[in-house]
Amino acid sequence: MQSPATQAGGSYWFIQGMRGIVSLPAFILFCSFVGFTGFAAESGIGRAEAVFMTGSVWALPAMVLLVTSALGNVALPAAFLTVTLSSIRLMPMVAALIPEIRTSKTRTIALLAVSHFVAVTAWVFTMERIQKVPPEHRLKFFAGFGITLTSCNMMIVGVGYSLVDALPPLAAGTLFFLTPIYFVTSIWASARDMAVYLAMIVGLVLAPLFHQVAPEFDILYTGIIGGTIAFGLERLIRARKAKSAGRAKS
Amino acid sequence: MNWDSLDAWWWPFLFIVVAGWIATDMWRWLGVLVGNRLRDDSALLIWVRSVATALVAAVIAKLIIYPNGTLADFPLWLRVGSAVIGFGVFLAAGSRRPWTGILTAIVLVVVGRLLTAG
């Protein structure tokens, strides 16, 4: 037996997800996309191409690299390689999100379809709020948010294309600064286990070091090595706690 | 085979589909297949979450330390200092109010930029 509230839930939770575009994370992403629009227009990418790129790629760092490759007359296979290496991070992000939004009845094809809308902002937003959504409606909640957020940003790029020249440098710089500050605070605020805090600290420290050694792969190395260090530390702390708890008992 | 190779209207779009769309979505689809096999509380999921968080941490550090565009004209000490102080305020204010730290960092970076620009 389903309760009336759960029956009504389907479209209700989709709309709750849509309402997420009126939120701090969505606002910050809009600001970042205004910044991207300026960059694309400056680089000579057409309006239609910039809008299409926003909807189809939907990952800001990948889009910046794609524009840079187009601009630098890089051959298609090399452009593919650059973009794809920068996007490996999407795999663990999606893999971490999937157990949060699926139930035993969720079809894989539906998960494949909504996975397109996973990017840093949608990931942070969803990991932060998903616990409050009933498990059977989480996929709809995420789809409502992801589809609306992507569509709005396509519109921002389309409309903003003619307007971005007017942006003063102080405002543009501050818009770019907003994104990392928002990411670090919201991930920290939404963390539910020690491993996330540790991974954040280790990652922030390792990234500039790896950037000196291997600038092309710094994000990838930081993720795999930093994440593994954080995981090891978490296991160690957990084992130590269990040990001292066991000793207290005996 | 680069962005300008063909003078057809559809060529840039095909370029975006191959080098942009497929290049990113293949990792998302792989993530679904991997995520579908992870149990909610397994150690493997904690490792995956740690790696994902460290990857995002690297993106954060790079956006602050090695930014593109106009943010690069802001002094490095100002960017890092504002971020660290903002994060400190966020920790002190409690994680229920993340905007306090965000606002602090933004105000510091704007004021600092106005002062250093002379």
Side-chain angles (χ1 to χ4, degrees), chain A residues 64-75 78-80 82-83, chain B residues 2-3 15:
Chain A
V64 171
L65 287 173
L66 186 60
V67 170
T68 316
S69 305
L71 191 72
N73 270 331
V74 170
F80 174 87
T82 312
V83 173
Chain B
N2 56 40
W3 181 260
F15 194 96

Side-chain angles (χ1 to χ4, degrees), chain A residues 58 76 84 102 116 118 193, chain B residues 1 23 25 28 36 38 49:
Chain A
W58 191 238
L76 184 58
T84 213
R102 64 132 197 241
H116 176 71
V118 176
D193 59 65
Chain B
M1 287 286 276
D25 263 0
R28 292 184 173 110
N36 247 344
L38 294 176
R49 204 185 288 143

Side-chain angles (χ1 to χ4, degrees), chain A residues 56-58 73-74 76 80 83-84 87 89 102 108 115-116 118 173 193 211-212 218-219 227-228 231 235, chain B residues 1-2 4 18-19 21 23-28 35-36 38 43 46-47 49-50 55 62 66 70 90 113:
Chain A
S56 64
V57 179
W58 191 238
N73 270 331
V74 170
L76 184 58
F80 174 87
V83 173
T84 213
S87 308
R89 73 195 151 77
R102 64 132 197 241
T108 303
S115 75
H116 176 71
V118 176
D193 59 65
H211 185 78
Q212 302 299 324
D218 48 2
I219 292 180
T228 306
F231 173 74
R235 293 281 107 176
Chain B
M1 287 286 276
N2 56 40
D4 297 320
V18 176
W21 190 348
T24 49
D25 263 0
M26 56 184 236
W27 295 112
R28 292 184 173 110
N36 247 344
L38 294 176
I46 295 178
W47 179 74
R49 204 185 288 143
S50 303
L55 283 165
K62 283 188 75 179
Y66 315 101
T70 41
F90 157 75
R113 178 61 182 152

Side-chain angles (χ1 to χ4, degrees), chain B residues 98-114:
Chain B
W99 57 269
T100 50
I102 297 173
L103 197 67
T104 307
I106 293 301
V107 169
L108 285 175
V109 91
V110 169
V111 171
R113 178 61 182 152
L114 287 173

Side-chain angles (χ1 to χ4, degrees), chain B residues 10-64:
Chain B
W10 48 264
W11 172 247
F13 291 93
L14 185 67
F15 194 96
I16 294 169
V17 167
V18 176
W21 190 348
I22 297 173
T24 49
D25 263 0
M26 56 184 236
W27 295 112
R28 292 184 173 110
W29 296 329
L30 207 59
V32 171
L33 301 179
V34 172
N36 247 344
R37 279 155 213 281
L38 294 176
R39 277 210 347 268
D40 278 18
D41 54 346
S42 64
L44 190 60
L45 180 62
I46 295 178
W47 179 74
V48 168
R49 204 185 288 143
S50 303
V51 169
T53 307
L55 283 165
V56 179
V59 174
I60 293 167
K62 283 188 75 179
L63 286 171
I64 295 173

Side-chain angles (χ1 to χ4, degrees), chain A residues 139-155:
Chain A
L139 187 75
K140 286 172 203 129
F141 178 82
F142 177 72
F145 179 66
I147 292 168
T148 314
L149 190 66
T150 310
S151 317
C152 285
N153 279 298
M154 289 170 76
M155 282 189 267

Side-chain angles (χ1 to χ4, degrees), chain A residues 12-21 125 140-141 144-145 148:
Chain A
Y12 172 77
W13 285 108
F14 187 85
I15 292 167
Q16 283 302 107
M18 290 179 75
R19 287 179 53 190
I21 61 151
F125 176 91
K140 286 172 203 129
F141 178 82
F145 179 66
T148 314

Side-chain angles (χ1 to χ4, degrees), chain A residues 81-121:
Chain A
L81 194 68
T82 312
V83 173
T84 213
L85 284 175
S86 85
S87 308
I88 297 175
R89 73 195 151 77
L90 292 169
M91 189 183 72
M93 283 168 61
V94 173
L97 184 71
I98 291 299
E100 305 280 340
I101 63 171
R102 64 132 197 241
T103 65
S104 53
K105 285 181 209 144
T106 311
R107 289 188 323 186
T108 303
I109 188 85
L111 292 171
L112 288 172
V114 299
S115 75
H116 176 71
F117 301 101
V118 176
V120 179
T121 300

